[in-house]
Amino acid sequence: GIEPGWFLLAFIGLVLIYRGAAAERIPLYLSNAHALAALNELLDERRSQLCIDLGAGIGSAVAPLAANFPACKFVGVENAPASWLIGYLRTRGLNNCRWLYQSLWDTPLAEADIVYAFLSPEPMARLWLKAEQEMHPGALFISNSFPVPDKNPSFTIELGEKRQTCLYCYEIASAPEASSD
C-alpha cells in the first residue's frame, strides 16, 4: 500500500548520502570522540599548517578540529552531495576551513602536513601511492581503522573504544624517486 514515488525518493536520498559507497566503495564513516581526541593531540604536537580530510563526510572531524586550531587551515573533501551539504553547513562559519565537493583522487596533497582518511580497505593501497607521490617529507598520512596493505605504519594510536580500532600513522620519509623515462 505504499506509493511507488516514495521508493524513488528513498533511493535518491540514499544516493545523495552514500554516493561514495556506490561509486568508489567508500561508505560514510563518522569519526568518533576517541579519534578526535587522538587527532587533537597529534595536531597539537605537530603544529601543522594544513590538514586535509579525504572523504570528510559531514565534517565530524574537520569541524571540531578547525574550531580547536584556528591557526591551522583545514580542507574537507567529500563527493556525496547530501553529506557534502551537511559538512558545508557545519563548517561555513570557520574562517580556517574550506569544504570541497570533489573526488579525493582530484585533491592535491603536496602542501598538506597531515592527511586524514576514514574510508575503507578498498582504496588504501592506491591512496598510499598518491600520498607518497604528493606529500612532502615529514608529512603525516593517517588512516582511521584501515591500514595500508603491505606497509608498516610509522606508529599507531589505539583509540580505546569498543570497536578496538586505531589510527594508522605513516610519516612520509622522502621525496618520491624521479622516473628515468
Side-chain angles (χ1 to χ4, degrees):
I2 300 174
E3 292 288 325
W6 286 111
F7 292 106
L8 178 61
L9 186 61
F11 174 75
I12 291 170
L14 289 172
V15 168
L16 291 174
I17 294 170
Y18 296 106
R19 177 177 182 256
E24 298 184 33
R25 296 178 60 176
I26 301 171
L28 175 64
Y29 291 120
L30 304 178
S31 297
N32 64 24
H34 298 278
L36 286 174
L39 290 169
N40 269 297
E41 284 185 36
L42 280 171
L43 282 163
D44 194 42
E45 290 170 10
R46 295 180 82 87
R47 305 280 183 220
S48 300
Q49 299 298 307
L50 174 63
C51 298
I52 299 174
D53 184 351
L54 299 174
I58 62 170
S60 59
V62 171
L65 291 172
N68 288 346
F69 295 93
C72 184
K73 293 179 183 163
F74 291 84
V75 176
V77 178
E78 180 56 49
N79 75 348
S83 299
W84 175 87
L85 179 60
I86 294 167
Y88 171 78
L89 293 172
R90 287 183 75 181
T91 60
R92 69 180 173 179
L94 299 168
N95 293 330
N96 62 333
C97 189
R98 287 183 33 223
W99 196 253
L100 304 177
Y101 178 70
Q102 67 186 32
S103 169
L104 60 92
W105 306 113
D106 296 330
T107 304
L109 307 178
E111 295 181 23
D113 300 309
I114 292 178
V115 171
Y116 173 70
F118 190 6
L119 303 173
S120 76
E122 177 66 27
M124 295 314 297
R126 182 176 168 206
L127 185 55
W128 172 247
L129 291 175
K130 178 178 175 56
E132 260 190 326
Q133 290 171 356
E134 295 181 22
M135 293 175 74
H136 61 81
L140 188 63
F141 174 75
I142 303 168
S143 175
N144 187 332
S145 303
F146 307 108
V148 174
D150 304 319
K151 176 74 178 162
N152 290 325
S154 303
F155 60 95
T156 59
I157 300 171
E158 298 288 330
L159 296 181
E161 33 93 87
K162 285 189 283 190
R163 295 181 323 151
Q164 298 180 343
T165 57
C166 68
L167 299 182
Y168 296 91
C169 303
Y170 304 86
E171 290 183 300
I172 305 300
S174 62
E177 299 278 327
S179 65
S180 55
D181 291 334

